[in-house]
Amino acid sequence: MAPIHKECDYLVIGGGSGGLASARRASGAYGAKTIAIESNRLGGTCVNVGCVPKKVTWNAAAIAETIHEAKSYGFSVETTAPFDWKTFKHKRDAYVKRLNGIYEKNLDKDHVEYIHGRAHLTSADSVEVKLDDGSTTTIKAKKILLATGGHPTIPEGIPGSEMGITSDGFFDLETQPKCVALVGAGYIAVEMAGMFNALGSETHLFIRHETFLRQFDPMIQETITKEYERQGLHIHKNSNQTKLEKNTEKGGDWKTLHYTDKEHPDGATLDVECLLWGIGRSPEVEDLGLQAAGVKQGKKGHVEADEYQNTNVENIYSLGDVSGKVELTPVAIAAGRKLADRLFGGPKYKDSKLDYSNIPSVVFAHPEVGTIGLSEPDAREKYGDKNIKVYESDFTAMYYAMMEPEEKAPTKYKLVCYGEEEKVVGMHILGVGSSEMLQGFGVAIKMGARKRDFDSCVAIHPTSAEELVTMK
């Protein structure tokens, strides 16, 4: 079959949140002839193997915790069977599939042509797409957006590492592992460890240092690490993994992990039914043809892009995880829309770009963690110790009032303020409800709120959030 030739104003490679947001804005709002290409399922990491199914699973874990805590409020709740992982998994899959369909309908509604296939650049303005039937399509585009996202990393140099799964594989598990090991100290490993533990799996978390979430404020690192230990997770500190092998005695999916850690400097083994690598993500660039178009990459392979999402090649742009700036779905969506405005919205939007400062983010740990702005050490380094004042609150949320002391989870908040005006340059919160709470406070901080602006707001009582407007 002879290759098909197409032309368009805007070609988006990658059907994740950022690419689709940009494609829809360009076509739906400005009438640009737009084509979107995706080789997997529409929605990218977030919809299929990230934020969406993760949050659904976190909800299940939170319900499990509530069932356990209900007795403190006078309820006699007994489960008649263990958590039905398989039924839950299939319902979650059906929900995601429904979202895939909605994404495709939205493309059609905004008149974006959708091609399912694998694309690679052949020049600075041309792409070849291998379609599902093996045939190819060539597309010549006036402007090209690279929004291919990323994929989880499996470590090299550890024999048997390929027998482990990644965060992608977590959502493919048909049965709940009785014993699971997770390797990593970032939000992916921490979130999934919390979910496994709450749902009843024996859970081991292997980290390289003394705490996890090491890019967060020290208050967050120290508190959440201690809380996970209180909840019964096995935290292996200062650890290294040396080998993973099949466990022939136990059979099935069981494996034996060889490792060293703080407690076992000479080495130890652990039998696990599942090992999950949560050590980071790599950009999806392997067969993108960047060299053919002359597109520059960073040391870790990310596509280099400036604050306007421009690459070094004229009319080729990049955003989202593949460019490695702030790897969060709402960031990619916002950047994609801003880019479409600038490219197709006329003079009014000629300077349109995303402001990457003060982006709020949440870790769906147990309990939740929220952060925006600078950590205390970063603020002191940037502005100097004498120019920083920190306000903190450490308390027990009223939800735990009816529980025994050993069952009470922590709640801690911190405001990092700069200068005589005490501008809030960082906010860090840990505790029940932090994810919903942060969005509103994020607006205030983005607007440049000062400590006295927080103080001027009358507290809502009784809530945990009132602590943020009553700190002394």
Side-chain angles (χ1 to χ4, degrees):
M1 182 184 292
I4 301 169
H5 299 279
K6 294 176 179 285
E7 293 187 359
C8 65
D9 298 319
Y10 195 37
L11 176 62
V12 176
I13 303 177
S17 300
L20 296 183
S22 195
R24 290 183 61 196
R25 177 66 64 91
S27 179
Y30 304 118
K33 184 178 181 182
T34 304
I35 298 175
I37 304 169
E38 172 57 49
S39 61
N40 207 318
R41 294 179 288 173
L42 284 175
T45 296
C46 176
V47 169
N48 295 291
V49 289
C51 336
V52 171
K54 178 272 300 286
K55 183 64 184 292
V56 172
T57 310
W58 183 88
N59 288 339
I63 290 171
E65 290 175 323
T66 302
I67 291 171
H68 173 73
E69 293 160 349
K71 65 180 184 295
S72 296
Y73 276 85
F75 293 94
S76 298
V77 179
E78 292 185 16
T79 54
T80 58
F83 174 66
D84 189 344
W85 182 284
K86 179 173 284 190
T87 297
F88 169 76
K89 189 261 185 192
H90 291 170
K91 288 188 73 174
R92 186 183 62 202
D93 288 350
Y95 173 56
V96 170
K97 188 174 182 180
R98 199 156 65 243
L99 293 178
N100 296 146
I102 291 171
Y103 270 74
E104 188 164 359
K105 287 177 183 176
N106 285 339
L107 287 178
D108 184 63
K109 183 174 69 176
D110 283 325
H111 310 294
V112 176
E113 182 180 351
Y114 167 48
I115 298 175
H116 192 270
R118 192 78 176 178
H120 67 271
L121 297 160
T122 55
S123 71
D125 64 355
S126 298
V127 166
E128 183 179 81
V129 185
K130 186 175 182 180
L131 304 176
D132 295 341
D133 63 4
S135 64
T136 59
T137 293
T138 59
I139 304 172
K140 192 175 182 66
K142 294 177 182 177
K143 300 181 187 300
I144 298 173
L145 172 61
L146 307 177
T148 51
H151 56 260
T153 303
I154 291 180
E156 298 178 353
I158 300 176
S161 62
E162 72 281 355
M163 289 190 284
I165 65 171
T166 64
S167 55
D168 287 3
F170 172 85
F171 299 106
D172 290 330
L173 290 172
E174 286 286 340
T175 57
Q176 181 176 0
K178 294 180 178 66
C179 180
V180 60
L182 302 98
V183 181
Y187 72 94
I188 292 173
V190 170
E191 289 179 336
M192 291 185 171
M195 292 185 286
F196 271 125
N197 182 67
L199 292 171
S201 296
E202 179 185 327
T203 305
H204 296 255
L205 180 58
F206 290 80
I207 60 177
R208 288 189 297 173
H209 300 280
E210 290 285 326
T211 59
F212 44 77
L213 298 180
R214 288 174 54 79
Q215 293 184 343
F216 287 72
D217 189 89
M219 179 196 78
I220 297 294
Q221 295 179 41
E222 295 160 10
T223 305
I224 196 68
T225 301
K226 288 179 183 176
E227 174 58 11
Y228 266 34
E229 290 176 315
R230 184 194 72 81
Q231 291 178 16
L233 280 86
H234 304 273
I235 311 296
H236 298 261
K237 300 175 181 179
N238 307 124
S239 71
N240 279 294
Q241 300 71 48
T242 56
K243 184 169 66 173
L244 185 63
E245 59 186 357
K246 283 187 175 296
N247 187 313
T248 53
E249 283 188 21
K250 291 192 173 183
D253 293 325
W254 284 87
K255 306 161 190 71
T256 299
L257 174 66
H258 297 252
Y259 68 93
T260 61
D261 66 9
K262 188 175 182 178
E263 303 297 324
H264 307 91
D266 297 324
T269 61
L270 176 69
D271 294 336
V272 296
E273 201 169 4
C274 174
L275 182 139
L276 190 151
W277 301 109
I279 60 171
R281 295 177 63 81
S282 302
E284 186 76 16
V285 294
E286 286 77 7
D287 56 350
L288 192 51
L290 297 175
Q291 292 77 16
V295 176
K296 285 185 179 179
Q297 295 172 259
K299 290 181 180 179
K300 295 184 178 181
H302 295 97
V303 176
E304 291 188 351
D306 66 15
E307 60 184 333
Y308 288 93
Q309 315 303 151
N310 300 313
T311 69
N312 65 298
V313 178
E314 189 175 3
N315 294 322
I316 296 183
Y317 312 91
S318 183
L319 55 81
D321 291 6
V322 75
S323 65
K325 283 191 176 179
V326 180
E327 298 184 11
L328 296 170
T329 297
V331 172
I333 291 172
R337 289 173 177 160
K338 293 283 189 182
L339 176 62
D341 289 340
R342 182 169 69 85
L343 298 182
F344 303 104
K348 179 181 177 182
Y349 295 105
K350 65 182 178 66
D351 296 320
S352 177
K353 65 175 181 177
L354 177 63
D355 177 6
Y356 280 87
S357 66
N358 284 330
I359 292 173
S361 64
V362 164
V363 181
F364 286 98
H366 297 261
E368 303 156 61
V369 167
T371 186
I372 183 172
L374 299 173
S375 68
E376 182 181 342
D378 287 346
R380 292 188 183 281
E381 182 179 348
K382 182 174 181 178
Y383 297 115
D385 285 340
K386 66 180 182 180
N387 295 313
I388 295 298
K389 186 168 183 180
V390 173
Y391 297 86
E392 295 186 72
S393 182
D394 179 353
F395 63 101
T396 300
M398 187 177 286
Y399 175 76
Y400 299 107
M402 307 293 285
M403 299 176 193
E404 298 301 318
E406 65 273 13
E407 296 177 327
K408 296 181 179 182
T411 305
K412 289 191 177 184
Y413 298 157
K414 176 187 282 191
L415 293 179
V416 182
C417 302
Y418 162 65
E420 291 183 7
E421 289 286 298
E422 292 195 337
K423 181 180 179 181
V424 181
V425 295
M427 185 174 106
H428 312 282
I429 57 178
L430 179 150
V432 175
S434 291
S435 61
E436 299 292 347
M437 196 184 303
L438 182 63
Q439 188 71 77
F441 281 101
V443 173
I445 292 171
K446 191 74 175 175
M447 293 175 68
R450 300 152 299 180
K451 176 64 168 62
R452 68 172 178 265
D453 296 318
F454 276 57
D455 296 341
S456 70
C457 182
V458 175
I460 302 170
H461 183 74
T463 64
S464 293
E466 68 180 294
E467 290 288 322
L468 287 165
V469 298
T470 57
M471 285 185 181
K472 302 296 183 187

